[in-house]
Amino acid sequence: NEPPGSDTHFVIRSTAMMGSDMNTSLRRSTTMDPARRRWFQTLFHCTALMCLASAASAAQSQTPVAALAHAAQAGKPPRHTVLVVGDSLSAEYGLKRGSGWVALLEQRLFKEQVSARVINASISGDTTSGGLSRLPALLKQHRPTLVVLELGGNDGLRGLPLVDAQRNLAQMAQAAKSAGARVLVVGVQIPPNYGRRYNDELAEMFVSVARTEGAALVPFLMKDVPDEQYQADRIHPMEVGHPTMLANVWPALKPLLR
């Protein structure tokens, strides 16, 4: 794939080459009679104007990636900063880099021509307690406009008290809002061998935090990911399952970037 902005670079190089040829031709034209020389000069000037108009048109039809790259080069920061604070489900556990749902989100934002950057601050094995301790520094460093909280699964897998996990998530949402960011809570589920009651309480925890804190909600990140698209641990989806995960997140996330 061409790097962002390569079309514009091509136009610049072509124009420079044409300008050099023009200068050479103009020098040669000095041997012509004055009337013919003026005709060639007029032709060359018209051609140059056409090239400039073509370059401007090409710049207007750039891909979203190129447009954002040129905006950055022009010193224009992205309108939004999306900070994802999650665990292994967001940290590409068992996947090649750049294939997880967070990376796909960044690609989707480019495709939708949303001026945004994505900061993935997810750590495999992290809990709501760990996320709460890390969040203040992340908010200060990145100044996000949207914070995505995808934590709680490891609290459930470790059998930690959900009342503590709920309090941690609520405090994270409050901290994000105090920093001027909108909040999206992303819920997860754990294997059924932990018991139906515990899973129901875990699911209700995400709903409760989102409702109490006025946050947007994705009830279940892995909704509609079939069993055959999970890794051997039966917890983490394979690469093929991550587009479905993004499809679950996108409808709740997109309105927060308007």
Side-chain angles (χ1 to χ4, degrees):
N1 294 331
E2 291 284 350
S6 59
D7 292 343
T8 302
H9 294 161
F10 175 77
V11 171
I12 292 172
R13 288 197 298 270
S14 298
T15 304
M17 291 170 63
M18 187 171 291
S20 176
D21 292 341
M22 287 179 181
N23 291 336
T24 301
S25 298
L26 284 171
R27 286 194 297 269
R28 290 174 179 172
S29 69
T30 57
T31 60
M32 302 178 185
D33 63 83
R36 190 173 184 183
R37 184 166 63 250
R38 284 195 299 271
W39 183 87
F40 271 102
Q41 289 174 335
T42 301
L43 176 62
F44 291 146
H45 292 159
C46 290
T47 303
L49 289 174
M50 290 174 62
C51 289
L52 290 173
S54 177
S57 176
Q60 291 178 353
S61 61
Q62 294 177 76
T63 64
V65 175
L68 287 173
H70 282 283
Q73 292 172 0
K76 298 179 181 178
R79 182 181 176 189
H80 299 284
T81 296
V82 181
L83 173 65
V84 181
V85 184
D87 51 34
S88 54
L89 293 172
S90 301
E92 300 183 332
Y93 176 86
L95 306 177
K96 66 181 180 182
R97 299 305 83 170
S99 63
W101 76 266
V102 179
L104 298 178
L105 168 63
E106 190 168 24
Q107 296 173 25
R108 181 68 179 267
L109 291 170
F110 284 140
K111 181 180 179 181
E112 298 283 336
Q113 301 187 46
V114 178
S115 176
R117 63 170 181 156
V118 178
I119 306 297
N120 191 353
S122 303
I123 297 178
S124 293
D126 205 7
T127 62
T128 58
S129 177
L132 179 60
S133 66
R134 295 192 295 120
L135 185 60
L138 292 170
L139 294 174
K140 182 177 181 180
Q141 177 182 358
H142 300 294
R143 301 183 182 277
T145 55
L146 172 60
V147 175
V148 180
L149 301 177
E150 184 276 299
L151 288 170
N154 286 312
D155 297 69
L157 290 172
R158 298 177 187 182
L160 300 176
L162 293 184
V163 63
D164 293 339
Q166 182 168 334
R167 182 177 61 251
N168 293 336
L169 278 178
Q171 290 180 1
M172 292 179 73
Q174 293 163 12
K177 290 188 297 180
S178 295
R182 293 180 172 182
V183 178
L184 174 61
V185 175
V186 178
V188 297
Q189 296 178 10
I190 58 177
N193 57 297
Y194 281 75
R196 175 66 179 273
R197 179 180 175 181
Y198 191 85
N199 246 320
D200 288 346
E201 292 177 350
L202 181 65
E204 178 58 29
M205 176 186 76
F206 299 112
V207 174
S208 179
V209 170
R211 180 175 59 245
T212 302
E213 301 303 329
L217 174 68
V218 176
F220 182 31
L221 178 60
M222 284 89 74
K223 179 184 177 183
D224 296 329
V225 176
D227 291 344
E228 61 270 20
Q229 292 185 1
Y230 279 82
Q231 299 179 41
D233 60 15
R234 313 308 301 165
I235 295 175
H236 300 91
M238 296 186 291
E239 178 180 337
V240 68
H242 278 254
T244 302
M245 296 164 68
L246 175 59
N248 292 329
V249 172
W250 182 251
L253 185 146
K254 184 179 180 180
L256 302 178
L257 297 177
R258 291 174 181 169

